[in-house]
């Protein structure tokens, strides 16, 4: 088999890239290790920057998102028992859109089917060959047979645990990492959201987040120790803990119900440089991870896709490789700003086991400054709605 761009990974990065390339007449095949049902079963991101929405429009897959997504003009921050609001639209001219990653992925798969894009599911043992030459290829196994896929370029969109990043030799790759001493216990429940906007809460018992997917589907998170297991958090315990971490006026009207999904995610900041090695280009979680506090993971994946797809169009349509040559530098410049913001928001809102009385006072001062300063609110808003590409 032969294609122009071989895409490893059928998550949001790989699918969005594939769709944008197809729209520009560039052939791309997606190799996905899991089944489609498995990929669509993962509950992850919920907040999209306008830049992401624009890319979905450019890819011709924004109809359902425009109908069913919720435009949020601001967010609420809870400090002990009080709330204050950051007004994104007034401060930056831009809102964010609440629309689940699961729905984004479903829309992209449906568009891919409709346009005849080829996706190989359950592609096992994907291996990258000759990425430093002009004729790279992949091998993979499926149904007990080994297959070969020749291509011009490889897009490594296979997430944090994928093989693409590992293919870059260790003496070339530089990894920067920070892990946090807690995780997020998250649940999804068929109940109306606690409030019309997201609430990020800093409480003495630790961080909590009230988010949503639609009018009758809510997503909540509480900070928990890394040693906790999902079994440690029966629904009753989760709701009681959440209520203690959010302002009393919100807790009083909170509608609780059985969880339909429950998971614990560790928090990590991670960047691998460079994002290009020969004809291999990394995109999304394959190259970088942020803690979810700033809602940046999926959105940084989208900015990588923006730079890579434009570079590939420039290569095929204008025979100009400048975009490909500058891909890593351009993508990383934006990534590091999202890393800084996510790290800052994580520090602002969580309780750290080793936090001293001094650290707590500084955190408090940071929050009070945010509550009272339009300049501080503008800085948060500008980063939350997404820095320009
Ligand atoms: P993905 O989604 O991990 O997809 C990678 C795909 O590659 C496949 N794969 C392979 N395929 C072939 N061969 C191999 N060897 C392979 N190895 C892996 C996998 O099966 C998978 O299908 O990466 P991608 O596409 O880069 O997308 C990144 C996003 O998924 C991620 O950044 C976000 O979910 C992060 N995130 C959030 N991002 C936001 O922008 N806003 C949010 O509100 C937000 N909330 C979150 C989040 C992530 C969370 N968790 C679970 C870490 C909330 C949570 C709790
Ligand atoms: C979510 O709805 O899953 C969500 C929202 C905002 C975040 C992280 C996760 O910062």
């Amino acid at each position: 088999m032969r294609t122009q761009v071989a895409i490893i990974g059928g998550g949001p990065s790989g699918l969005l890239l594939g769709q944008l390339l197809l729209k520009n007449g560039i052939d791309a095949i997606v190799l996905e290790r899991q089944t489609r049902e498995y990929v669509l079963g993962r509950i992850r991101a919920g907040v999209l920057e306008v830049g992401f929405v624009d890319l979905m429009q450019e890819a011709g897959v924004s109809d359902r998102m425009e109908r069913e997504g919720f435009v949020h003009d601001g967010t609420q921050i809870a400090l002990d028992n009080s709330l204050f609001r950051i007004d994104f639209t007034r401060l930056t001219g831009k809102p964010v859109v609440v629309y689940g990653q699961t729905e984004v992925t479903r829309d992209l798969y449906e568009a891919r089917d409709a346009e005849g894009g080829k996706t190989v599911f359950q592609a096992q043992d994907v291996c990258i060959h000759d990425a430093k030459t002009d004729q790279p290829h992949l091998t993979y196994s499926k149904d007990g047979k080994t297959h070969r896929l020749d291509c011009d370029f490889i897009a490594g969109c296979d997430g944090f645990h994928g093989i693409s990043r590992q293919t870059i030799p260790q003496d070339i790759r530089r990894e920067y990492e920070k892990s946090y001493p807690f995780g997020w216990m998250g649940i999804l429940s068929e109940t109306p959201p606690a409030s019309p906007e997201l609430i990020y809460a800093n409480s003495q018992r630790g961080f909590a987040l009230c988010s949503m997917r639609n009018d009758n589907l809510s997503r909540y998170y509480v900070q928990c120790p890394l040693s906790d297991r999902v079994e440690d958090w029966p629904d009753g315990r989760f709701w009681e803990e959440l209520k203690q971490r959010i302002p009393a006026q919100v807790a009083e009207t909170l509608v609780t119900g059985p969880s339909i999904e429950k998971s614990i995610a560790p928090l990590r900041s991670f960047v691998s440089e460079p994002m290009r090695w020969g004809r291999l280009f990394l995109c999304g979680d394959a190259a970088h991870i942020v803690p979810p506090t700033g809602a940046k993971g999926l959105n940084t994946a989208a900015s990588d896709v923006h730079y890579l797809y434009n570079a590939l169009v420039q290569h095929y349509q204008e025979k100009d490789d400048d975009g490909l040559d500058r891909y890593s530098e351009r993508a990383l410049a934006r990534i590091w700003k999202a890393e800084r913001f996510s790290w800052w928001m994580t520090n602002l809102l969580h309780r750290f086991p080793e936090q001293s009385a001094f650290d707590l006072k500084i955190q408090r001062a940071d929050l009070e400054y945010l509550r009272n300063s339009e300049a501080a609110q503008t800085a948060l808003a500008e980063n939350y709605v997404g820095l320009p590409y």
Side-chain angles (χ1 to χ4, degrees):
M1 250 191 327
R2 180 164 176 89
T3 188
Q4 288 174 299
V5 182
I7 300 178
I8 310 176
S13 310
L15 293 173
L16 184 57
L17 178 66
Q19 200 58 28
L20 288 160
L21 293 177
L22 267 183
K23 277 266 165 253
N24 282 277
I26 300 167
D27 183 48
I29 293 183
V30 173
L31 300 183
E32 167 58 51
R33 185 169 55 186
Q34 305 287 354
T35 62
R36 180 175 174 142
E37 293 66 39
Y38 182 94
V39 175
L40 289 175
R42 289 191 292 229
I43 309 293
R44 286 184 165 186
V47 178
L48 308 179
E49 295 174 357
V50 170
F52 191 106
V53 173
D54 291 347
L55 272 182
M56 291 284 280
Q57 276 164 351
E58 211 168 321
V61 269
S62 60
D63 286 0
R64 195 162 70 97
M65 182 177 67
E66 278 157 21
R67 270 197 323 272
E68 296 177 17
F70 292 79
V71 173
H72 282 207
D73 291 310
T75 196
Q76 304 283 335
I77 310 273
L79 181 52
D80 301 334
N81 237 341
S82 65
L83 285 169
F84 62 93
R85 181 166 189 263
I86 313 283
D87 190 329
F88 301 146
T89 308
R90 184 176 66 80
L91 295 166
T92 70
K94 289 188 232 162
V96 291
V97 173
V98 170
Y99 189 65
Q101 177 168 334
T102 316
E103 306 312 317
V104 168
T105 312
R106 190 188 310 281
D107 294 346
L108 285 164
Y109 270 126
E110 281 175 11
R112 207 171 160 72
D113 288 348
E115 291 179 31
K118 184 169 169 59
T119 311
V120 181
F121 289 100
Q122 294 178 295
Q124 305 299 318
D125 310 317
V126 175
C127 200
I128 297 172
H129 306 271
D130 303 332
K132 284 292 274 180
T133 73
D134 290 348
Q135 290 170 320
H137 72 276
L138 301 180
T139 52
Y140 63 95
S141 52
K142 169 142 175 123
D143 302 329
K145 286 197 205 111
T146 301
H147 302 263
R148 174 177 170 133
L149 176 59
D150 288 285
C151 55
D152 299 334
F153 299 100
I154 299 159
C157 303
D158 49 353
F160 184 67
H161 299 288
I163 52 99
S164 299
R165 182 178 70 252
Q166 313 291 347
T167 305
I168 303 178
Q170 269 184 2
D171 58 336
I172 292 181
R173 199 167 12 119
R174 176 106 200 251
E175 296 185 346
Y176 303 84
E177 182 160 20
K178 181 171 181 59
S179 47
Y180 301 84
F182 40 72
W184 278 18
M185 164 76 219
I187 71 163
L188 194 65
S189 77
E190 284 170 328
T191 50
S195 123
E197 292 179 342
L198 271 65
I199 302 175
Y200 287 89
N202 175 315
S203 91
Q204 286 173 12
R205 298 179 68 90
F207 171 78
L209 171 61
C210 305
S211 182
M212 66 202 70
R213 292 293 177 270
N214 61 45
D215 287 339
N216 198 41
L217 195 56
S218 298
R219 181 79 168 145
Y220 296 100
Y221 298 95
V222 294
Q223 167 187 354
C224 68
L226 275 174
S227 52
D228 277 14
R229 300 276 151 262
V230 168
E231 306 75 72
D232 300 329
W233 287 92
D235 290 358
R237 177 179 175 209
F238 183 89
W239 292 118
E240 279 318 305
E241 187 60 39
L242 178 67
K243 284 183 188 169
Q244 292 189 61
R245 294 187 189 194
I246 56 180
Q249 81 243 39
V250 182
E252 274 158 25
T253 55
L254 182 76
V255 181
T256 63
S259 64
I260 55 170
E261 196 268 353
K262 214 182 247 177
S263 51
I264 294 183
L267 269 68
R268 177 188 283 126
S269 297
F270 173 85
V271 181
S272 178
E273 296 185 353
M275 288 174 61
R276 176 207 186 160
W277 184 61
R279 292 205 162 215
L280 167 66
F281 294 81
L282 303 181
C283 265
D285 281 15
H288 43 78
I289 297 284
V290 285
T293 325
K296 286 282 156 265
L298 181 57
N299 291 303
T300 46
S303 65
D304 295 350
V305 166
H306 162 86
Y307 295 121
L308 184 55
Y309 124 76
N310 280 296
L312 288 166
V313 169
Q314 196 182 17
H315 168 86
Y316 284 110
Q317 291 179 2
E318 296 162 31
K319 311 233 172 311
D320 180 352
D321 281 352
D322 181 60
L324 291 174
D325 292 339
R326 296 188 55 197
Y327 169 71
S328 182
E329 174 202 332
R330 281 185 175 146
L332 284 166
R334 192 173 186 279
I335 293 308
W336 275 111
K337 294 186 194 108
E339 290 284 343
R340 183 208 67 81
F341 175 65
S342 308
W343 162 86
W344 172 76
M345 246 185 109
T346 303
N347 280 292
L348 182 75
L349 294 169
H350 291 75
R351 290 290 150 132
F352 287 70
E354 72 279 15
Q355 228 162 3
S356 66
F358 178 86
D359 297 336
L360 278 169
K361 286 280 190 189
I362 293 289
Q363 189 188 58
R364 181 87 200 186
D366 212 353
L367 278 158
E368 295 291 356
Y369 176 52
L370 182 63
R371 189 198 328 241
N372 298 313
S373 157
E374 180 150 323
Q377 293 187 4
T378 306
L380 188 153
E382 181 183 40
N383 283 277
Y384 197 92
V385 302
L387 296 175
Y389 287 173

